[in-house]
């Protein structure tokens, strides 16, 4: 049901039956390692390219999710997935392997929440019994595609972010036990003219602000309705900008309940990740893994997950275009 | 964000960018310069030592000892790139490790390693000069222009 201008309420409350995550060795050194199901100690995963490694991680997360829920892949009606690679090859090649009817999406780093909201809409509206959704990113394949060769010695500024190597998947169902997706807010493109791909936090923060404000306006609720509001991969700079901007715009939001996945996934003191983590897997691992686990343990009752994405390409950057950004939000309640 | 870019932006974008800029840590320019000076200087001093070594022990002359010196620095740089160390050094050293010949060797070897998965022809061959290419193109072109100027000056009687 449409609520307000850009939000939707899922009346049947699709249930997240199970979720699983996978990650590389660098993420395993971070504070969220306990919430990662499959940890790989080789960034190649024994493959001969980073792209194949990323596909394998997404595959692993998807299969592990179905295994956790005890659902056979032939019963899953739809697989929705996105990643950062050109022509979303990681998602499509995973779909080739698992053989579930597939919708590929591209929302850059917002793919995790975009997929979750589309999946919830299919479960709620079309009564598809099981829908699988996933997202993945790989530090090395993203660097290779968007920036420079991995071993190239370019000095990164303090505003840069570290793309997370990993993947996450969620299985939604019409019934069962678990956290429920109650609503979603689909973001609009916000472009504040920032064109520096080493400053994603500042580029994406206005999109997060726009979607968070739209969510509370449409749903007619106050920020303290949620136990936690978490953004996808703004990093420490984007987090600060978002918080300050929300307060400046008159929203009463407490620093205690507003977190960012990019600041949680790595230990910023021990690991050199500049402003924090980024990439589809950043929000996928933190939201699908860490936060859903905490909801299942009863530590959090209501969560608003807002994943942000920078929708530029290496080509648009070279042609001096600024970075169009987007943020999608889903409300998950226990 | 450079100020000359601002005239393309609307008022809201300009306001936001100055709002965001206040919350962004600046590049540590002074310490970056200092680190670049130290590391770049260290590489050059090491090169000079190699130069002396080739003259003293391998009977090269002042004029041709530069060739084996450059080759040695390139080999060391390529090895460090292959072992995945060069990019870590470069994050500290910045321009200090990018400007000497070692940086040039790093651009070519890193691209060659990166694109090995696309095969030897389209991958390694096609991408090896992805970063180094522009340097060669404009380096050769400016050398050409400068040599024409020099030739003209000589032709007109010289300085």
């Amino acid at each position: 049901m449409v609520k307000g201008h850009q939000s939707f309420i899922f009346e049947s409350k699709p249930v997240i039956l199970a979720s699983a995550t996978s990650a590389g060795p660098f993420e395993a050194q971070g504070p969220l390692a306990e919430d990662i199901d499959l940890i790989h100690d080789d960034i190649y995963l024994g493959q001969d390219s980073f792209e194949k490694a990323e596909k394998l991680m997404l595959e692993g997360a998807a299969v592990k999710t179905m295994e956790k829920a005890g659902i056979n892949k032939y019963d899953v009606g739809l697989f929705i997935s996105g990643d950062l690679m050109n022509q979303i090859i990681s998602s499509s090649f995973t779909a080739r392997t698992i053989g579930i009817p597939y919708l590929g999406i591209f929302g850059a780093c917002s793919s995790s929440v975009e997929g979750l909201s589309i999946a919830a809409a299919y479960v709620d509206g079309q009564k598809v019994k099981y829908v699988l959704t996933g997202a993945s990113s790989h530090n090395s394949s993203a660097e290779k595609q968007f920036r420079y060769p991995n071993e190239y010695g370019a000095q990164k500024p303090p505003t840069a972010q570290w793309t997370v190597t990993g993947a996450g998947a969620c299985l939604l169902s019409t019934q069962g036990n678990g956290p429920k997706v109650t609503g979603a807010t689909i973001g609009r493109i916000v472009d504040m003219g920032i064109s520096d791909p080493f400053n994603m936090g500042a580029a994406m923060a206005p999109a997060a602000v726009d979607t968070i404000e739209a969510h509370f306006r449409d749903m007619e609720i106050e920020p303290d309705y949620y136990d936690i509001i978490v953004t996808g991969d703004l990093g420490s700079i984007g987090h600060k900008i978002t918080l300050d901007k929300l307060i400046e715009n008159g929203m009463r939001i407490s620093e205690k309940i507003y977190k960012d996945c990019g600041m949680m996934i790595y230990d910023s003191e021990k690991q050199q990740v500049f402003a924090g983590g980024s990439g589809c897997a950043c929000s996928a691992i933190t939201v699908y893994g860490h936060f859903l686990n905490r909801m299942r343990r009863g530590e959090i009752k209501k969560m608003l997950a807002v994943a942000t994405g920078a929708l530029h390409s290496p080509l648009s950057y070279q042609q001096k275009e600024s970075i169009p950004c987007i943020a999608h939000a889903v409300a998950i309640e226990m | 964000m450079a100020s000359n870019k601002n005239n393309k932006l609307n008022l809201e974008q300009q306001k936001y960018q100055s709002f965001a800029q206040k919350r962004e840590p600046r590049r540590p320019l002074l310490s970056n310069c200092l680190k670049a000076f130290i590391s770049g200087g260290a590489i050059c001093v090491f090169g000079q030592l190699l130069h002396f070594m080739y003259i003293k022990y391998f009977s090269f002359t002042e004029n041709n000892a530069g060739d084996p010196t450059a080759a040695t620095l390139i080999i060391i740089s390529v090895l460090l790139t292959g072992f995945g160390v060069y990019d870590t050094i470069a994050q500290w050293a910045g321009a200090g490790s990018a400007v000497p010949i070692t940086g040039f060797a790093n651009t070519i070897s890193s691209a060659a390693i990166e694109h090995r998965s696309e095969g030897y022809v389209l991958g390694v061959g096609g991408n090896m000069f992805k970063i180094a290419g522009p340097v060669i193109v404009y380096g050769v072109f400016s050398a050409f222009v400068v040599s024409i100027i020099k030739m003209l000056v000589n032709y007109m009687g010289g300085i």
Side-chain angles (χ1 to χ4, degrees):
Chain A
M1 187 184 79
V2 183
K3 180 98 165 80
H5 178 58
Q6 57 191 93
S7 300
F8 303 89
I9 288 178
F10 304 124
E11 279 155 344
S12 67
K13 297 189 174 156
V15 182
I16 300 173
L17 275 187
S19 59
T21 53
S22 61
F26 193 59
E27 290 66 32
Q29 293 167 19
L32 301 187
E34 278 183 16
D35 291 303
I36 302 169
D37 299 282
L38 306 161
I39 288 176
H40 301 279
D41 50 13
D42 169 23
I43 56 164
Y44 277 102
L45 273 75
Q47 303 297 302
D48 55 14
S49 76
F50 298 128
E51 292 77 10
K52 284 181 189 164
E54 181 178 336
K55 184 206 77 178
L56 213 61
M57 271 192 311
L58 182 58
E59 234 176 84
V63 170
K64 183 81 185 167
T65 306
M66 292 187 282
E67 195 184 297
K68 272 182 161 180
I71 304 294
N72 192 304
K73 71 174 183 182
Y74 299 108
D75 296 326
V76 180
L78 197 56
F79 173 53
I80 302 167
S81 183
D83 59 85
L84 294 176
M85 291 292 94
N86 285 339
Q87 289 82 34
I88 51 168
I89 49 171
S90 310
S91 296
S92 302
F93 286 32
T94 299
R96 179 178 74 181
T97 314
I98 61 177
I100 299 170
Y102 159 69
L103 278 177
I105 55 169
F106 182 78
C109 314
S110 70
S111 298
S112 59
V113 164
E114 183 179 350
L116 196 57
S117 60
I118 298 172
Y122 267 102
V123 172
D124 182 57
Q126 305 302 323
K127 307 290 176 231
V128 182
K129 204 166 176 200
Y130 300 111
V131 179
L132 185 67
T133 177
S136 71
S137 61
H138 191 302
N139 181 277
S140 304
S141 63
E143 287 290 318
K144 178 177 175 178
Q145 180 180 304
F146 286 96
R147 298 186 185 100
Y148 296 114
N150 282 280
E151 299 305 332
Y152 173 52
Q155 194 175 38
K156 287 184 176 165
T159 50
Q161 286 176 260
W162 183 273
T163 308
V164 174
T165 302
C170 261
L171 187 73
L172 278 79
S173 172
T174 44
Q175 54 196 347
N177 288 323
K180 295 170 181 67
V181 183
T182 55
T185 300
I186 304 300
R188 297 181 298 177
I189 300 273
V190 179
D191 187 340
M192 281 299 172
I194 289 177
S195 53
D196 179 8
F198 286 114
N199 193 7
M200 294 294 205
M204 297 191 295
V209 171
D210 190 71
T211 301
I212 292 171
E213 286 177 346
H215 181 79
F216 290 112
R217 189 177 58 229
D218 288 350
M219 296 293 189
E220 296 168 41
I221 49 175
E222 289 292 313
D224 56 11
Y225 176 83
Y226 293 105
D227 300 325
I228 195 140
I229 297 171
V230 60
T231 46
D233 58 348
L234 293 176
S236 55
I237 299 158
H239 176 266
K240 190 166 171 39
I241 294 172
T242 305
L243 189 67
D244 290 354
K245 198 83 195 163
L246 283 170
I247 291 169
E248 193 191 81
N249 292 359
M251 183 170 283
R252 280 171 298 144
I253 183 166
S254 151
E255 203 170 341
K256 275 186 211 137
I257 64 161
Y258 172 47
K259 303 275 178 220
D260 182 71
C261 301
M263 293 164 77
M264 298 173 66
I265 194 157
Y266 296 117
D267 184 341
S268 61
E269 277 168 21
K270 288 187 199 136
Q271 297 174 292
Q272 196 190 28
V273 293
F274 314 99
S278 71
C280 300
C282 183
S283 49
I285 289 173
T286 316
V287 173
Y288 292 2
H290 177 71
F291 280 115
L292 287 182
N293 284 346
R294 279 176 69 184
M295 290 187 96
R296 291 185 191 108
R297 288 198 298 265
E299 291 168 27
I300 303 171
K301 293 262 178 282
K302 290 166 185 163
M303 163 169 78
L304 183 70
V306 188
T308 44
L311 303 175
H312 69 302
S313 81
L315 191 81
S316 73
Y317 161 66
Q318 284 170 0
Q319 294 176 347
K320 308 270 187 296
E321 291 264 16
S322 56
I323 304 172
C325 296
I326 199 158
H328 301 297
V330 286
I332 305 171
E333 295 180 22
M334 196 57 205
Chain B
M1 193 54 53
S3 56
N4 60 352
K5 265 188 176 173
N6 278 352
N7 50 22
K8 274 191 240 156
L9 304 172
N10 64 34
L11 192 66
E12 199 193 347
Q13 289 175 323
Q14 284 178 32
K15 259 169 76 182
Y16 172 72
Q17 292 199 354
S18 65
F19 180 89
Q21 220 162 30
K22 280 182 208 133
R23 288 155 182 83
E24 288 163 15
R26 287 174 177 278
R27 272 180 193 252
L29 212 60
L30 198 71
S31 77
N32 277 355
C33 285
L34 198 70
K35 285 174 184 170
F37 178 76
I38 293 168
S39 52
I43 294 171
C44 295
V45 168
F46 178 67
Q48 196 59 51
L49 289 175
L50 287 175
H51 193 102
F52 288 147
M53 183 192 83
Y54 282 116
I55 293 173
K56 191 156 184 209
Y57 300 106
F58 296 91
S59 59
F60 280 92
T61 65
E62 186 81 26
N63 288 332
N64 61 15
D67 301 344
T69 305
T72 313
L73 286 172
I74 288 169
I75 289 168
I76 293 172
S77 169
V78 170
L79 282 175
L80 289 176
T81 306
F83 289 129
V85 190
Y86 202 89
D87 56 332
T88 319
I89 299 171
Q91 180 59 36
W92 189 88
S97 64
V99 175
I101 197 165
T102 52
F104 198 67
N106 167 252
T107 61
I108 297 172
S109 53
S110 65
I113 295 167
E114 187 88 346
H115 294 280
R116 169 67 191 85
S117 59
E118 288 97 80
Y120 283 113
V121 177
L122 294 177
V124 177
N127 291 291
M128 213 166 162
F129 291 93
K130 203 163 79 171
I131 309 167
V135 184
I136 298 172
V137 169
Y138 294 107
V140 169
F141 179 69
S142 32
F144 173 73
V145 172
V146 169
S147 56
I148 283 186
I149 294 169
K150 191 181 176 216
M151 202 187 75
L152 286 175
V153 169
N154 282 345
Y155 184 72
M156 292 187 300
I159 305 168

